[in-house]
Amino acid sequence: MADSGSSSSAAHASATPITGVVMDITVDNAKAAMEFCQAAFGATVDPKHVHNSEDGRVMHAEVRITEKLYVFYHDEFPEYGAKTRGPKALGGTSITIHLDVATPPDVDVVTAKAVAAGAKVTMEPQDTFWHARYARFDDPFGHAWAVHCYLPGHEDKEVKMPSGDGCAKKDDE
């Protein structure tokens, strides 16, 4: 049997060609969701990447939060058989959009900006048992967000689960 090539070709064949993940987020008001991202995170929206339906709903919009992080937003379109719905229609969400920030104080800054833009805090910024500064909030459209930054020296510390403060499993679960 002939040699099929170098070991690098075998490694390439097993390597994934995926270069990133982009969230395509369904909401009940994509224009307002884009405005929330602009106010809360300083996001930008390029009008060339916003496509509306004839009735004015957003079919696709690219919202750039940072140079490397962007999301797509679109309105609900149940009349076209689209099965995606926003959290309000579903009564909740199954994901959390997780933002890593550069420094622990940035957790507080990002959370405060999100609140000023209409978010509701579900976990105040705090230092956690996993040695990170962390906060959670829900945006006005029902999506859950988290903001996170490891604390200095976290690599040298052991993570110990707390007991009796809400992290323990409840009897009825």
Side-chain angles (χ1 to χ4, degrees):
M1 181 176 226
D3 184 5
S4 62
S6 70
S7 61
S8 65
S9 65
H12 178 72
S14 65
T16 180
I18 297 169
T19 61
V21 175
V22 179
M23 294 169 284
D24 191 352
I25 302 172
T26 305
V27 293
D28 63 350
N29 186 339
K31 288 178 183 169
M34 293 185 293
E35 291 169 0
F36 170 80
C37 280
Q38 289 172 309
F41 312 125
T44 59
V45 179
D46 183 342
K48 293 184 296 188
H49 296 287
V50 177
H51 308 286
N52 295 321
S53 64
E54 289 180 9
D55 66 3
R57 288 179 293 165
V58 176
M59 297 176 73
H60 173 83
E62 182 178 310
V63 177
R64 190 155 296 276
I65 296 173
T66 69
E67 184 177 320
K68 295 181 180 181
L69 173 65
Y70 60 96
V71 297
F72 297 150
Y73 274 111
H74 66 273
D75 283 303
E76 298 171 336
F77 285 92
E79 68 272 25
Y80 296 113
K83 293 184 178 182
T84 56
R85 300 286 187 275
K88 289 180 180 178
L90 297 173
T93 182
S94 65
I95 67 161
T96 298
I97 304 165
H98 191 100
L99 303 173
D100 283 331
V101 294
T103 69
D106 291 338
V107 171
D108 300 61
V109 170
V110 170
T111 302
K113 285 183 178 179
V115 168
K120 303 252 186 288
V121 172
T122 57
M123 181 179 174
E124 292 289 339
Q126 59 191 263
D127 294 347
T128 63
F129 68 87
W130 63 88
H131 311 295
R133 186 81 179 155
Y134 186 81
R136 293 179 62 94
F137 54 85
D138 291 344
D139 69 22
F141 314 95
H143 288 95
W145 295 75
V147 188
H148 168 272
C149 184
Y150 280 113
L151 297 169
H154 76 277
E155 329 59 26
D156 301 324
K157 296 180 180 168
E158 182 180 343
V159 173
K160 293 183 181 179
M161 289 286 295
S163 61
D165 69 349
C167 292
K169 186 175 177 182
K170 295 179 176 66
D171 292 333
D172 60 343
E173 290 182 27

